[in-house]
Amino acid sequence: MKAANTMEVRQQNASYILHDIECNPGITNAEIAQGRGLSVPTISNIVNILKNGDMIMTAGTGESSGGRRPFQLSLNAGYQSYVGVSIAKHTVYLVLIDFAGQILDKQRHYVDFAGTEEYWQQIAGLVSGLQEQAQGPCQVGIALPGFVDRSRNMALGTYTLGVAEVALDYICELLDHRVVTGDSCRLAGLAQMFGKRDFADSFFILLSRRISGILIQGKEFFHMDRSSLDIGSMILDPNGTTSAYGIPGSFLELCSASRIMDMAKECSKADTVEDFFAELAKGDQALETIWHAFLKNLSVALHNISAIFGVGIVVGGEMAKYIEPFAMELDEYLRRLTPDHEWKVELHFSGYGEYDDAYGAALEARGFQIGEQLPVILKNAAASQVQAKPKTRRRN
């Protein structure tokens, strides 16, 4: 195993410091040192470098334990802004965040996916609109509904866009600047880990037109060959015979947002997801039947996932905000599936809903830029320290 050099260790420690400050605004040098098992001088040295590089700042002073009041730290929100974009079949979601991860703006535009040069130029125009708000170029992250194959630089399984695959190089070329691309589910999971909502170990489900999931352990993704799991192929009803989406009787077929829309259109009740729930709120009996069948099927999938992984479940994506108001009904279906068991499905809902993966894409763009800039900041600081070091006289 190759031993890490001093600069690599310092870069890793700097990453830890940024992460700890993000998760605990107001944290002090001593608290970071204690949590990481490092010396206070080691932390203080890197903190000063990051301050000089404008990545972090002093946010105030903490309580004194007998000496000086310790300085509290925070990320410098104005250091840089980032744009996250989520690509869906008929919709584009965009999020603008600052360096501290706060959402400055979010937008939803109804744009049919085409994958053509004209389509990506339209996306570039939407991105430019957010960059104008940030008063300068921003690193951009793009979330795609498929599995990212880095060896081929392709997004595969993008069937909900109406195509089998998307070339990532093509996107970067047409957007005329570097972008970071990733799997929608993994990026939405990233939003749960670093987006101020800590559910500890959990299984995240992206429940939209596509259904996928990813296991989060200790604020890290469980390593898999694929960037996320195709849980949409899980069979919920073995008697299913036909399917417009994936395998008959599958999670995708029975619980995707597309399923809701198709069934609503069949009974001429709604044209959009918003229309469906507006009519449902009025007490439409036909839609209530559709919706409770949806919740019942969803409870089977949640039960199975909980039984396999033994962790809490976070539901995100397009359907999350519509399901959360029916949490009690969903919990009742889950209770019926486990009447004699002591364990209970621990269920949470993402706070970002349909903007999950766009927010995660913005965070990914931020992480990419930090990874590029940290080595430069640390090397420049090391060079300055060498130059400032007084020369020793040689004795005759």
Side-chain angles (χ1 to χ4, degrees), residues 99-112:
F99 189 66
Q102 298 298 314
I103 296 177
L104 304 176
D105 192 16
K106 57 184 180 180
Q107 301 175 3
R108 177 176 60 182
H109 299 273
Y110 293 103
V111 181
D112 288 336

Side-chain angles (χ1 to χ4, degrees), residues 116-133:
T116 61
E117 182 175 350
E118 292 75 19
Y119 173 83
W120 289 111
Q121 286 176 346
Q122 188 172 1
I123 301 304
L126 297 175
V127 169
S128 295
L130 285 181
Q131 289 178 327
E132 288 176 7
Q133 290 188 41

Side-chain angles (χ1 to χ4, degrees), residues 15 25 32 37 48 85 214 220 236 304 320 392:
S15 298
I32 296 174
N48 288 334
V85 184
I214 195 162
E220 295 287 344
L236 304 183
N304 293 346
T392 57

Side-chain angles (χ1 to χ4, degrees), residues 11 70 95 176 188 215 223 241 247 283 316 341:
Q11 184 176 336
V95 168
D176 198 31
L215 180 63
H223 178 73
T241 55
I247 303 169
H341 290 72

Side-chain angles (χ1 to χ4, degrees), residues 223-282:
H223 178 73
M224 297 171 289
D225 290 337
R226 280 187 167 186
S227 47
S228 62
L229 294 171
D230 183 20
I231 58 173
S233 296
M234 180 194 310
I235 300 298
L236 304 183
D237 179 10
N239 298 316
T241 55
T242 60
S243 175
Y245 308 99
I247 303 169
S250 66
F251 191 7
L252 177 66
E253 166 66 13
L254 299 176
C255 294
S256 70
S258 298
R259 167 72 168 183
I260 286 289
M261 291 315 311
D262 285 352
M263 295 195 69
K265 287 178 180 178
E266 283 179 11
C267 55
S268 303
K269 297 291 183 178
D271 292 320
T272 67
V273 176
E274 290 88 347
D275 291 342
F276 177 92
F277 287 96
E279 293 300 315
L280 181 66
K282 296 176 184 178

Side-chain angles (χ1 to χ4, degrees), residues 88 91 93 108 205-210 256-258 261 272-274 277 315-323 352-357:
T91 316
Y93 300 94
R108 177 176 60 182
I205 298 174
L206 186 68
L207 192 56
S208 297
R209 310 287 162 150
R210 171 178 177 254
S256 70
S258 298
M261 291 315 311
T272 67
V273 176
E274 290 88 347
F277 287 96
V315 176
E318 184 180 358
M319 294 301 298
K321 68 178 181 181
Y322 299 113
I323 297 169
Y352 310 104
E354 60 192 351
Y355 291 94
D356 264 320
D357 48 344

